[in-house]
Amino acid sequence: MTAPEITIAYGSVETARAAAMTVEYTQRAIGKNVHIKMLPGLAGPNEVIQVITDSAGWHYLIEIGKPVFNAAVALATKEAYERYKAWKNSSKPASVAEPADDAFALGSMLKTLEKAKVDGNTIIFALPIDKGSLKGRNVGVELKSVSEDTFLQSAVVLATIGDGLIAALNQYSFKEAVVENSDCSCAITVNPDGSAEVEIYVDSKMTTVRLKFDALGKRVETST
């Protein structure tokens, strides 16, 4: 598997410098240019940085980050990593053959995001949505703190549910988030057992659908 397409998005001029530094370290980590863009302006607050890539991209970042994560992960993260390995065994994603250009730059990227979070910015690890009313706002996990642990836990969720979630969202021509992150992106709620869910409106009458995935990323429930 070659290096993925990754976009770093920011919400205001105040977050632009941290976003640019995140781009620099991510490029060093994957050995490929990373896109940067400004998110569409909403009602605010817009102090946000999103790291956006698809399921395969999150899988790639987990794989190249192993030198960074191995010495740092806590028990909860080890449980998440075990779920990730089980998902890999069943889903057979493309292998990451080449070593990271500079794996430890990924750690520097996380330090940049950690400081941005401490400075009051919202940090979202996201999957891209390219059509419908959520276009450009995306769907993701909002980090309460930034560390190797929270990176790996969130990346595992995004890698395992990513393809299934985007396919499920694309079933609906109208979709609006019921549960939003602080930046108005569509929220992925991660449960203590590693399962995840997303709740959306699917029509102008505000009919709701809850999309649920088990801890291995399998879609297990669609409820209204």
Side-chain angles (χ1 to χ4, degrees), residues 76 79-84 153 156-157 160-161 189-197 212-218 220-221:
E79 292 172 353
Y81 191 65
E82 289 302 314
R83 293 195 297 271
Y84 169 71
Q153 290 175 35
V156 166
V157 171
T160 56
I161 76 170
T189 300
V190 182
N191 300 313
D193 65 354
S195 64
E197 54 192 78
K212 189 169 183 180
F213 299 81
D214 68 16
L216 297 182
K218 181 181 178 182
V220 294
E221 180 183 336

Side-chain angles (χ1 to χ4, degrees), residues 125 127 129 134 138-141 157-158 161-162 164-166 168-170 172 175-181 185-191 195-202 207-214 219-224:
F125 290 163
L127 300 163
I129 296 181
L134 291 173
N138 307 310
V139 56
V141 179
V157 171
L158 295 166
I161 76 170
L165 174 57
I166 295 302
L169 289 172
N170 284 340
Y172 303 99
K175 46 185 173 287
E176 191 68 54
V178 175
V179 182
E180 293 183 336
N181 294 313
S185 59
C186 185
I188 298 172
T189 300
V190 182
N191 300 313
S195 64
E197 54 192 78
V198 171
E199 191 169 3
I200 57 171
Y201 296 116
V202 295
T207 303
T208 62
V209 170
R210 181 179 292 112
L211 307 168
K212 189 169 183 180
F213 299 81
D214 68 16
R219 185 172 168 182
V220 294
E221 180 183 336
T222 303
S223 59
T224 58

Side-chain angles (χ1 to χ4, degrees), residues 4-52:
E5 296 294 323
I6 297 176
T7 298
I8 307 299
Y10 63 97
S12 69
V13 293
E14 288 78 11
T15 56
R17 183 173 183 274
M21 291 177 64
T22 304
V23 167
E24 175 65 25
Y25 288 126
T26 307
Q27 288 179 160
R28 291 187 198 175
I30 69 172
K32 178 180 177 178
N33 286 342
V34 170
H35 307 288
I36 186 168
K37 70 175 185 179
M38 193 169 187
L39 289 164
L42 298 169
N46 291 316
E47 288 70 41
V48 56
I49 297 174
Q50 290 187 5
V51 180
I52 309 161

Side-chain angles (χ1 to χ4, degrees), residues 53-81:
T53 189
D54 60 9
S55 173
W58 289 108
H59 159 59
Y60 185 95
L61 290 174
I62 294 168
E63 290 294 308
I64 69 167
K66 285 177 180 177
V68 178
F69 301 138
N70 284 345
V73 295
L75 177 60
T77 311
K78 289 179 180 176
E79 292 172 353
Y81 191 65

Side-chain angles (χ1 to χ4, degrees), residues 83-165:
R83 293 195 297 271
Y84 169 71
K85 289 195 293 185
W87 169 78
K88 276 208 310 180
N89 288 337
S90 62
S91 299
K92 308 296 184 187
S95 61
V96 178
E98 69 272 24
D101 190 55
D102 179 2
F104 288 94
L106 199 59
S108 298
M109 181 265 272
L110 294 179
K111 291 295 184 185
T112 300
L113 293 175
E114 180 182 18
K115 184 178 186 306
K117 176 66 176 172
V118 170
D119 289 344
N121 295 286
T122 297
I123 307 299
I124 308 289
F125 290 163
L127 300 163
I129 296 181
D130 59 7
K131 57 186 175 181
S133 53
L134 291 173
K135 181 178 179 179
R137 291 162 60 185
N138 307 310
V139 56
V141 179
E142 180 172 345
L143 275 68
K144 294 183 173 65
S145 62
V146 182
S147 66
E148 290 88 350
D149 286 327
T150 58
F151 177 91
L152 190 54
Q153 290 175 35
S154 301
V156 166
V157 171
L158 295 166
T160 56
I161 76 170
D163 287 344
L165 174 57

